[in-house]
Amino acid sequence: MTESDADDLPRGIALAWGVAASPQRGPKREMSVEGIVDAAVELADADGLGAVSMAAVAARLGYTPMSLYRYISAKDDLILLMQESAIGAPPAIEGEGWRERVVAFHDALMRSYLAHTWVIEIPITGVTATPNSAAWMDAGIQVFDGTPLDDDARLSLTLLLTGYAHWNATVIAGMSRRAAASGRDLDEVSHAEDDLLARLVTADAYPSLHRAVAAGVLSSGTDPFRFGLGVIVDGIAAHLDALAAGTYVPPKPPPPPEAPEVLADKRYRESQKKVREAEKLLRAARREERAGLREARERARQREAKERGRA
């Protein structure tokens, strides 16, 4: 692709693919798109994504913000290029079979996220059409070489693994930030969460969660994401077995979303508001029900105590 072919591409995408027209004015040689992106990545690594602005990057480089705008015309384009730089190209995804390659792909992507944790704070607005993002998707699809899965299924599973790695990295990064801010390690943070939930979650209101917390699931030391990844792998294997046996039944497609003109209808919006109000009242009623149940049990215990005292 050449610069003339990129006339209809968004500026950020064209910059990522290296086909954007060079600025005609402004500093020469002393500044480049790559240098601007590197400076922005350094800022984000040091102080988080919120520290990145065109003015902050310009100050780091010793230029005025207007100098940057000649190269990168919008902050959104800068964030896109930062993401492209930070996530990098995928390593070779190796393994004796698709099972090992699935785990290797997930782990490589998660390491990429955790190397620059601010990347997972960038809102997801769709498929990012940049070279490295395309390379990761290509690697994910190749994971399933040698299987009977078609390209639709391979892309679907690539998206599943990408989302799972993103969520896994999000949790690890969040807990690591909490640990660093409090001066504790990850095990201590997990135990603190366990203690907090044990104080707040009652058997009456949240019976299943209360049972799990009482069993120590948050401080057991096991990795719930590793278990989940194993289930994903087993699920893919079961799907392949069903394909081989000819017993696979495709799931029913979800109902189509309402058309924009329906969602914008005044009467429909009013009905949605009433539903939300009713749900709010229902939640309040359930809270009252739980409180009433606790009070009734307490009164029953008091009556039993009085009766035992008379006896």
Side-chain angles (χ1 to χ4, degrees):
M1 183 181 291
T2 64
E3 289 184 6
S4 60
D5 297 324
D7 290 341
D8 59 343
L9 290 177
R11 173 72 177 173
I13 297 297
L15 285 169
W17 287 94
V19 295
S22 300
Q24 299 301 312
R25 298 177 298 157
K28 303 297 182 181
R29 291 186 301 276
E30 295 88 351
M31 186 182 292
S32 66
V33 171
E34 292 77 12
I36 294 169
V37 173
D38 287 345
V41 168
E42 290 172 1
L43 273 174
D45 285 344
D47 301 312
L49 189 62
V52 177
S53 67
M54 299 298 275
V57 176
R60 189 178 186 89
L61 292 170
Y63 289 101
T64 65
M66 287 307 299
S67 300
L68 265 65
Y69 282 113
R70 297 189 181 102
Y71 291 78
I72 301 176
S73 56
K75 183 181 176 181
D76 286 347
D77 291 343
L78 176 59
I79 298 297
L80 176 72
L81 296 171
M82 290 170 61
Q83 180 180 15
E84 173 73 357
S85 173
I87 197 171
I93 306 299
E94 299 176 344
E96 293 186 2
W98 67 264
R99 283 176 173 269
E100 290 186 7
R101 293 196 297 270
V102 162
V103 175
F105 175 81
H106 168 273
D107 291 353
L109 187 54
M110 193 173 69
R111 284 194 297 270
S112 178
Y113 288 139
L114 292 176
H116 303 276
T117 54
W118 50 266
V119 168
I120 55 184
E121 300 174 21
I122 299 174
I124 298 174
T125 58
V127 176
T128 306
T130 58
N132 286 338
S133 294
W136 277 102
M137 291 180 65
D138 185 71
I141 292 171
Q142 287 185 37
V143 160
F144 299 100
D145 283 355
T147 72
L149 296 172
D150 59 23
D151 286 332
D152 281 343
R154 295 183 186 203
L155 178 59
S156 177
L157 292 173
T158 298
L159 294 175
L160 171 64
L161 293 169
T162 300
Y164 195 73
H166 191 280
W167 176 232
N168 193 348
T170 299
V171 173
I172 292 175
M175 293 185 66
S176 297
R177 283 193 295 269
R178 284 186 57 191
S182 62
R184 298 177 293 182
D185 59 29
L186 290 178
D187 285 339
E188 290 173 326
V189 170
S190 294
H191 280 88
E193 290 181 342
D194 197 15
D195 292 341
L196 181 61
L197 278 177
R199 289 165 50 198
L200 299 175
V201 174
T202 65
D204 292 341
Y206 310 98
S208 297
L209 179 58
H210 180 270
R211 183 183 65 251
V213 171
V217 293
L218 294 179
S219 55
S220 64
T222 59
D223 184 349
F225 286 100
R226 215 63 190 171
F227 173 81
L229 182 60
V231 172
I232 290 174
V233 172
D234 288 344
I236 297 171
H239 175 72
L240 291 173
D241 289 344
L243 286 177
T247 58
Y248 171 65
V249 179
K252 293 181 180 179
E258 294 288 358
E261 59 270 18
V262 173
L263 298 176
D265 182 80
K266 182 179 180 181
R267 185 175 179 183
Y268 178 73
R269 292 200 309 271
E270 290 175 349
S271 64
Q272 282 187 312
K273 183 178 179 181
K274 290 179 180 178
V275 168
R276 289 193 295 271
E277 291 173 349
E279 290 173 343
K280 183 178 179 180
L281 291 172
L282 179 59
R283 289 194 295 271
R286 284 175 173 166
R287 286 195 296 270
E288 291 181 8
E289 178 187 31
R290 292 193 293 268
L293 179 61
R294 288 193 295 270
E295 292 173 0
R297 287 175 173 172
E298 179 60 27
R299 287 194 295 270
R301 283 193 290 268
Q302 291 175 357
R303 285 196 298 269
E304 291 176 0
K306 287 181 180 179
E307 291 174 358
R308 286 196 298 270
R310 293 192 190 100

